[in-house]
Amino acid sequence: MASGNLTQVTEFILMGVSDHPDLRIPLFFVFLLIYGLTMAGNLGIITLTSADSQLQTPMYFFLRHLAIINLGDSTVIAPKMLVNFLVSKKTISYHGCAAQLGGFLVFIVAETFMLGVMAYDRYVAICNPLLYMAVVSSQVCILLVSLTYLYSLTTALTVSSCVFSMSYCSSNVINHFYCDTVPLLALSCSDTYIPETIVFTSAGTNLFFSMIIVLTSYLHIVLAILRISSSEGRRKAFSTCASHMMAVTVFYGTLFFMYLQPRSNHSLGTDKMASVFYTLVIPMLNPLIYSLRNKDVKDALKRFLSNPCQSFKLM
């Protein structure tokens, strides 16, 4: 690659998850299985929450959009990753890389705030049950989801434009399995201070405000549950938000580990494993978390499997 000549950069080379040739085929089948389960699980959640009349509540409306986001997040990353396991030249075009980064940011930011929206929904349901349908009306649900998507799209366009405004002239080899901000920042031969500041400020701000929503909601939820006199009542109240609490803990824990480390402590090898977790593993786990720990979803699945034609007629 000619030094200082940005027009020469027409493609990038993705190093992938592992540089050991013997692991390519086993890893291909592992990630193919993960992606297949992700597709099946999230499409199942989308179908059930759309078809079953008993799942037409705000909670499952938000869960449906979380499944859409999980599906999009995996689909932005997994197909190209799987192809690269089978080919010798693991390239992605300059514009393809920009599109992949933008798509990834749209879905990861959307997931961050969708989990916050779902925490708010559980707060209203448990702390203000009599006002629930008035506060979280269908119009409010649509507004919250629309704002989440609009904000994530704006953030993705801003950050990806900033990252791809830099020059890439010393190397076009990305030490990652997809186009992400950190390895691209490490690759640039131009001054990365402003792009790096924008990237990490954006990540930190998004995590901070979404976590404030989640923590504030769950603080009120825990206090409300503790005020319930009967142990059975406390158990039922806790069960309505247990799945979401588990999903939130796994997701935010991984993102904090990934993005809020000082730059000097970043290990791209460790970041790859964290990235595998939140781009591929978490989207696979979320349908399992919400279905195995949710009686309503399990009952809806039984109804769907017993009479799928009737379910589709209701859609």
Side-chain angles (χ1 to χ4, degrees), residues 43-65:
L43 286 174
I45 291 290
I46 293 167
T47 301
L48 287 177
T49 55
S50 299
D52 195 279
S53 60
Q54 296 186 36
L55 298 184
Q56 304 308 305
T57 64
M59 175 181 174
Y60 295 108
F61 176 79
F62 296 133
L63 179 57
R64 183 188 315 151
H65 283 277

Side-chain angles (χ1 to χ4, degrees), residues 1-14 89 91-94 166-174 187-189:
M1 203 67 64
S3 178
N5 191 351
L6 182 61
T7 61
Q8 295 275 329
V9 180
T10 58
E11 64 181 19
F12 292 99
I13 298 172
L14 295 167
K89 191 177 182 183
T91 59
I92 184 170
S93 69
Y94 182 88
M166 299 186 300
S167 299
Y168 298 95
C169 51
S170 59
S171 172
N172 68 337
V173 179
I174 299 175
L187 191 64
S188 175
C189 60

Side-chain angles (χ1 to χ4, degrees), residues 225-245:
I225 291 175
L226 292 176
R227 286 195 294 266
I228 298 174
S229 56
S230 69
S231 58
E232 179 64 17
R234 288 195 296 270
R235 188 192 65 78
K236 287 182 178 179
F238 179 76
S239 67
T240 64
C241 56
S243 298
H244 184 254
M245 290 177 65

Side-chain angles (χ1 to χ4, degrees), residues 81-188:
M81 177 188 185
L82 291 170
V83 168
N84 284 346
F85 279 123
L86 303 178
V87 297
S88 56
K89 191 177 182 183
K90 305 174 183 179
T91 59
I92 184 170
S93 69
Y94 182 88
H95 296 293
C97 188
Q100 187 181 59
L101 174 62
F104 162 71
L105 290 172
V106 166
F107 291 115
I108 204 69
V109 174
E111 183 168 3
T112 301
F113 282 95
M114 188 59 66
L115 290 171
V117 168
M118 293 173 75
Y120 172 73
D121 169 72
R122 291 298 83 206
Y123 155 71
V124 177
I126 293 173
C127 299
N128 297 285
L130 298 179
L131 299 175
Y132 179 62
M133 295 311 297
V135 175
V136 192
S137 63
S138 58
Q139 292 85 355
V140 171
C141 291
I142 293 171
L143 177 63
L144 290 173
V145 168
S146 299
L147 289 175
T148 296
Y149 286 134
L150 179 62
Y151 176 76
S152 62
L153 180 60
T154 303
T155 301
L157 289 173
T158 301
V159 173
S160 58
S161 297
C162 186
V163 170
F164 278 89
S165 68
M166 299 186 300
S167 299
Y168 298 95
C169 51
S170 59
S171 172
N172 68 337
V173 179
I174 299 175
N175 188 15
H176 216 327
F177 60 92
Y178 70 98
C179 295
D180 195 9
T181 53
V182 173
L184 282 166
L185 288 171
L187 191 64
S188 175

